[in-house]
Amino acid sequence: MTAEEPPPPASSLLLAAIRAAGGVPAPRSADLLQEVAQAAQRVGRSALQLRAAGEEKTTLRLAWPTGSAPSIEQFRDQAPPTLAPIPTLVWALCLKAAWPDPTLPHYPGQPFPPS
């Protein structure tokens, strides 16, 4: 960005932050929320305001509009491979070690000993 270029709109920056982080605290401005919803719609997504049970803060996330989420049938032979049983079990054990209480928020998790 040069000194001659105007800064990007706040809605574009917020949309980029949502895409990078998965979700951000929802802004209080109804106008900004509307702008973000319109920006998300332009890229084929929708903006959702979510509040976890027991939480006071609302987060803003991207979602697929109804009926437009990618499905496994669209991939046909190029479907992403699934893990074999042993790697799946190892992944599940690591997930359980990093996130022992599923009622708590899963991000950022916690470190766990490798033993």
Side-chain angles (χ1 to χ4, degrees):
M1 184 169 71
T2 65
E4 299 167 5
E5 293 179 41
S11 60
S12 296
L13 295 175
L14 193 54
L15 188 60
I18 295 168
R19 291 181 83 170
V24 297
R28 294 185 185 262
S29 165
D31 291 338
L32 183 54
L33 285 171
Q34 182 64 29
E35 288 177 30
V36 170
Q38 291 170 353
Q41 191 174 26
R42 285 192 298 271
V43 295
R45 303 293 288 276
S46 59
L48 293 178
Q49 293 183 59
L50 301 172
R51 180 178 299 147
E55 293 286 320
E56 291 188 23
K57 293 184 178 180
T58 302
T59 59
L60 196 58
R61 296 177 180 260
L62 291 178
W64 294 101
T66 304
S68 67
S71 76
I72 198 71
E73 290 82 28
Q74 292 174 325
F75 290 111
R76 303 204 197 295
D77 326 349
Q78 299 173 357
T82 57
L83 290 175
I86 297 300
T88 300
L89 181 59
V90 170
W91 177 82
L93 290 171
C94 290
L95 181 61
K96 178 65 177 169
W99 187 29
D101 185 354
T103 62
L104 297 175
H106 64 277
Y107 183 81
Q110 62 187 19
F112 59 94
S115 57

